[in-house]
Amino acid sequence: MHMIDPGSWAWMAIWLVALFAMVWLLVAPPRRSQPESPAEILRRRYAAGDISEEEFRHARDVLGTENDR
Protein backbone atom coordinates (compact mmCIF):
# COMPACT_ATOMS: atom_id res chain seq x y z
CA MET A 1 0.00 0.00 0.00
CA HIS A 2 1.37 3.40 -1.03
CA MET A 3 1.26 6.22 1.55
CA ILE A 4 1.59 9.92 0.82
CA ASP A 5 4.36 11.58 2.81
CA PRO A 6 3.61 14.61 5.06
CA GLY A 7 5.45 16.99 2.73
CA SER A 8 3.04 16.17 -0.08
CA TRP A 9 0.08 16.88 2.19
CA ALA A 10 1.60 20.25 3.09
CA TRP A 11 2.03 21.22 -0.57
CA MET A 12 -1.51 20.09 -1.34
CA ALA A 13 -2.80 22.27 1.52
CA ILE A 14 -0.78 25.26 0.26
CA TRP A 15 -2.23 24.88 -3.23
CA LEU A 16 -5.77 24.57 -1.86
CA VAL A 17 -5.33 27.73 0.23
CA ALA A 18 -3.95 29.55 -2.84
CA LEU A 19 -6.89 28.35 -4.95
CA PHE A 20 -9.45 29.51 -2.37
CA ALA A 21 -7.66 32.87 -2.07
CA MET A 22 -7.76 33.39 -5.86
CA VAL A 23 -11.46 32.51 -6.03
CA TRP A 24 -12.23 34.83 -3.09
CA LEU A 25 -10.34 37.70 -4.77
CA LEU A 26 -12.32 37.20 -7.97
CA VAL A 27 -15.71 36.94 -6.26
CA ALA A 28 -15.35 39.49 -3.43
CA PRO A 29 -16.89 42.89 -4.11
CA PRO A 30 -14.39 45.69 -4.67
CA ARG A 31 -13.62 47.87 -1.70
CA ARG A 32 -14.24 51.57 -1.96
CA SER A 33 -11.40 53.84 -0.97
CA GLN A 34 -13.80 56.60 0.14
CA PRO A 35 -17.25 56.25 1.67
CA GLU A 36 -20.23 57.39 -0.36
CA SER A 37 -21.52 60.88 0.30
CA PRO A 38 -25.15 61.25 1.39
CA ALA A 39 -26.00 62.68 -2.06
CA GLU A 40 -24.45 59.62 -3.77
CA ILE A 41 -26.41 57.27 -1.53
CA LEU A 42 -29.59 59.22 -2.26
CA ARG A 43 -29.03 59.06 -6.05
CA ARG A 44 -28.22 55.34 -5.88
CA ARG A 45 -31.38 54.58 -3.87
CA TYR A 46 -33.51 56.62 -6.27
CA ALA A 47 -31.97 54.90 -9.30
CA ALA A 48 -32.60 51.48 -7.73
CA GLY A 49 -36.24 52.37 -7.10
CA ASP A 50 -35.93 52.22 -3.31
CA ILE A 51 -37.45 55.69 -2.93
CA SER A 52 -40.01 57.64 -4.93
CA GLU A 53 -39.34 60.84 -6.86
CA GLU A 54 -41.12 62.83 -4.16
CA GLU A 55 -38.95 61.29 -1.43
CA PHE A 56 -35.86 61.92 -3.57
CA ARG A 57 -36.72 65.59 -4.12
CA HIS A 58 -37.53 66.12 -0.45
CA ALA A 59 -34.31 64.48 0.74
CA ARG A 60 -32.31 66.38 -1.88
CA ASP A 61 -33.78 69.65 -0.62
CA VAL A 62 -33.03 68.71 2.99
CA LEU A 63 -29.44 67.81 2.10
CA GLY A 64 -29.04 71.03 0.15
CA THR A 65 -27.89 69.32 -3.04
CA GLU A 66 -30.06 71.33 -5.43
CA ASN A 67 -27.90 70.80 -8.51
CA ASP A 68 -28.12 66.97 -8.32
CA ARG A 69 -30.81 66.26 -10.89
Side-chain angles (χ1 to χ4, degrees):
M1 184 170 176
H2 181 64
M3 304 249 337
I4 299 177
D5 65 292
S8 297
W9 285 110
W11 279 109
M12 193 178 332
I14 290 171
W15 281 109
L16 284 173
V17 168
L19 176 66
F20 282 119
M22 286 186 284
V23 169
W24 180 78
L25 287 172
L26 290 172
V27 174
R31 295 183 180 182
R32 291 180 168 261
S33 58
Q34 298 177 5
E36 286 182 299
S37 72
E40 290 171 334
I41 294 169
L42 182 62
R43 284 192 301 271
R44 181 175 43 79
R45 291 190 60 207
Y46 177 63
D50 294 339
I51 59 175
S52 68
E53 183 177 355
E54 181 180 328
E55 291 171 315
F56 173 76
R57 288 177 189 262
H58 176 70
R60 184 187 65 197
D61 294 341
V62 169
L63 289 174
T65 55
E66 296 275 334
N67 47 350
D68 291 334
R69 302 225 182 247

